[in-house]
Amino acid sequence: MTQGSGNGSWWRRASCRTDAWQAARADWKSDMERFKADQRTARETGVPVENPGPPPTGFSLLPWLLMGMGAFSNVFQAGTPQPWLGALGLLAFNSLYIYVVFRAFVKEKREARSTRVALVLMGVVTCALAIGYGGNWLYFFPLLGLATGAVTRGPWLGRTGLCLTALAVAVSAVRDGWDAVNIGYATFLSTMVTAAILSLSEAVRELRAAREELARRAVEKERLRFSRDLHDLLGHTLSVIVVKSEAARRLALRDMDAALAQITDIESVGRQALTEIREAVTGYREGSLSTELDRARSALEAASIEPVVRHSGPPLTADTETLLSWVVREAVTNAVRHSGASRCEITVEGTAERVRLRVVDDGRGVVGAVGAVSGAGSMGGVNAVGAVTGVGSMGSAGTGLKGLSERLAAAGGRLEAGPGPRGGFVVMAELPVEVLEREVAAVG
């Protein structure tokens, strides 16, 4: 009963392995057909093909077993001593060869102990057949070198190849004298060339996969950049339009000229928003800090918030102004929408090395919870990597300020936001001007 069960288990394992080989061969054939179709298309269109072809598998090394056809014919010749031993050795070598080369293309299996043991057994069988029969049986050494090169890749390849070559020369010299030089040369060549070709093929595929991964990450990064730009653009613009529309509605009954001025501003803001959105789509949008400060002053006045704007220091680079414009836009938008403040101060102070922007209002301050804002320090009890709580002045901090903090951090700066020491809310951004000129490309 036990023996029957063991035989059944062995038969199932053999059947499963055969099915796996058939499935692998079907996949390889489909990949090869797809590669040939791509090659035909490339020849017809003149566009080089990107597909490097199907990855090598054990099937690509099986045709080399034809080198053993001479030994196979010797088994059936009358003068061959003990042909049944030769047949068993031939069967053992071919079985071990197939086992090794099919495991050589999977890194985990290639480095497994069972694969190394099978390779050593191949060496023992090869030496036994070469010493016992000589002649055509010596060509199993190049086949052994091919399997060794497929399995052994890395720093041990050179020493392994030389040792195997020395073994092939020594055994062949015992049987065929000077013909051992040819056997040794074929063994060394098959070992090193096989390892080089397979390593190069694997490296090319890894580089191609890395390039595809980098391209995918670049697309994701660009999508994130565009989503941030679109949020900041539309959030600010729509808030200004809403505020000015409410002002126009209040003024329409008692001061038509003032209401028309607000409506004109709404038209101007809408036109400017269309221009900025087009520029954001093309990826070449640059913000002007002075223009943004003028817009902030106009938006604060329309919301009945007294604006106080101070701008001092040397001229800033275009990249520096772009990032600071985003901070002004986000801070003023949230102050208009959520603070309930009567006064908002915007201060820009620059030196030759650093520039600092502060937006301070006297609004309601911290009254609820919002998302996390990452920064490089802490201010007013708000930890740099902790959570900023408050809907008062900065109600959309969970979306806008978080994105801005990432932008400034990528440029070597920092963004801090939190309740002021005397109430209200404070947003402070600081950037290293010279560093930013070199690193702003990483911000997008």
Side-chain angles (χ1 to χ4, degrees), residues 242-312:
V242 170
V243 171
K244 287 185 172 292
S245 299
E246 292 175 351
R249 177 174 53 81
R250 291 195 305 267
L251 295 171
L253 297 178
R254 63 177 185 271
D255 191 346
M256 183 58 66
D257 291 336
L260 290 176
Q262 295 293 335
I263 294 174
T264 302
D265 289 343
I266 293 174
E267 180 182 2
S268 176
V269 169
R271 292 182 183 278
Q272 184 63 30
L274 289 175
T275 302
E276 291 177 346
I277 289 175
R278 293 191 189 100
E279 293 175 348
V281 169
T282 57
Y284 296 107
R285 184 178 182 275
E286 291 185 356
S288 171
L289 183 58
S290 59
T291 302
E292 196 62 48
L293 291 175
D294 292 338
R295 293 176 185 170
R297 184 184 291 108
S298 175
L300 291 170
E301 289 176 349
S304 300
I305 300 176
E306 179 186 357
V308 179
V309 180
R310 303 184 184 93
H311 191 179
S312 62

Side-chain angles (χ1 to χ4, degrees), residues 3-81:
Q3 183 177 1
S5 176
N7 292 337
S9 177
W10 178 87
W11 177 257
R12 284 194 298 271
R13 287 197 300 270
S15 177
C16 291
R17 188 170 296 268
T18 302
D19 293 341
W21 284 348
Q22 290 177 350
R25 184 173 181 274
D27 293 340
W28 184 80
K29 288 182 63 177
S30 63
D31 290 340
M32 182 60 72
E33 291 175 357
R34 190 160 49 248
F35 173 69
K36 291 180 179 178
D38 291 342
Q39 291 285 353
R40 286 194 297 269
T41 303
R43 287 194 296 269
E44 294 172 357
T45 60
V47 179
V49 64
E50 288 286 336
N51 185 6
T57 64
F59 290 105
S60 58
L61 299 181
L62 288 183
W64 292 100
L65 285 175
L66 294 176
M67 293 178 62
M69 288 300 297
F72 181 76
S73 63
N74 288 343
V75 173
F76 299 97
Q77 292 179 0
T80 302

Side-chain angles (χ1 to χ4, degrees), residues 157-384:
L157 175 62
R159 280 172 280 186
T160 303
L162 290 175
C163 292
L164 182 58
T165 301
L167 177 63
V169 170
V171 174
S172 301
V174 174
R175 294 292 308 186
D176 287 357
W178 286 105
D179 193 49
V181 175
N182 296 329
I183 299 298
Y185 176 74
T187 302
F188 181 78
L189 195 64
S190 63
T191 303
M192 305 307 292
V193 171
T194 301
I197 292 177
L198 295 182
S199 298
L200 181 60
S201 174
E202 189 174 287
V204 168
R205 294 182 184 281
E206 289 178 354
L207 289 175
R208 185 167 181 261
R211 185 183 64 179
E212 293 176 352
E213 179 66 17
L214 289 175
R216 184 185 64 80
R217 292 187 179 182
V219 171
E220 292 179 355
K221 185 176 181 179
E222 182 63 16
R223 287 175 178 171
L224 179 61
R225 181 200 68 81
F226 183 74
S227 65
R228 289 171 176 171
D229 288 358
L230 196 61
H231 166 267
D232 294 338
L233 279 170
L234 295 181
H236 170 77
T237 302
L238 294 178
S239 298
V240 171
I241 290 175
V242 170
V243 171
K244 287 185 172 292
S245 299
E246 292 175 351
R249 177 174 53 81
R250 291 195 305 267
L251 295 171
L253 297 178
R254 63 177 185 271
D255 191 346
M256 183 58 66
D257 291 336
L260 290 176
Q262 295 293 335
I263 294 174
T264 302
D265 289 343
I266 293 174
E267 180 182 2
S268 176
V269 169
R271 292 182 183 278
Q272 184 63 30
L274 289 175
T275 302
E276 291 177 346
I277 289 175
R278 293 191 189 100
E279 293 175 348
V281 169
T282 57
Y284 296 107
R285 184 178 182 275
E286 291 185 356
S288 171
L289 183 58
S290 59
T291 302
E292 196 62 48
L293 291 175
D294 292 338
R295 293 176 185 170
R297 184 184 291 108
S298 175
L300 291 170
E301 289 176 349
S304 300
I305 300 176
E306 179 186 357
V308 179
V309 180
R310 303 184 184 93
H311 191 179
S312 62
L316 302 174
T317 63
D319 296 328
T320 307
E321 290 195 3
T322 298
L323 287 180
L324 293 181
S325 297
W326 285 115
V327 178
V328 172
R329 178 186 294 263
E330 184 67 24
V332 171
T333 298
N334 287 309
V336 168
R337 294 173 59 185
H338 305 293
S339 69
S342 60
R343 178 185 174 90
C344 181
E345 296 183 7
I346 305 174
T347 306
V348 181
E349 300 174 340
T351 64
E353 296 181 354
R354 303 189 72 82
V355 59
R356 177 178 295 178
L357 167 69
R358 285 173 57 89
V359 181
V360 183
D361 66 57
D362 61 352
R364 291 189 293 267
V366 179
V367 297
V370 297
V373 176
S374 299
S378 59
M379 180 180 62
V382 181
N383 187 276

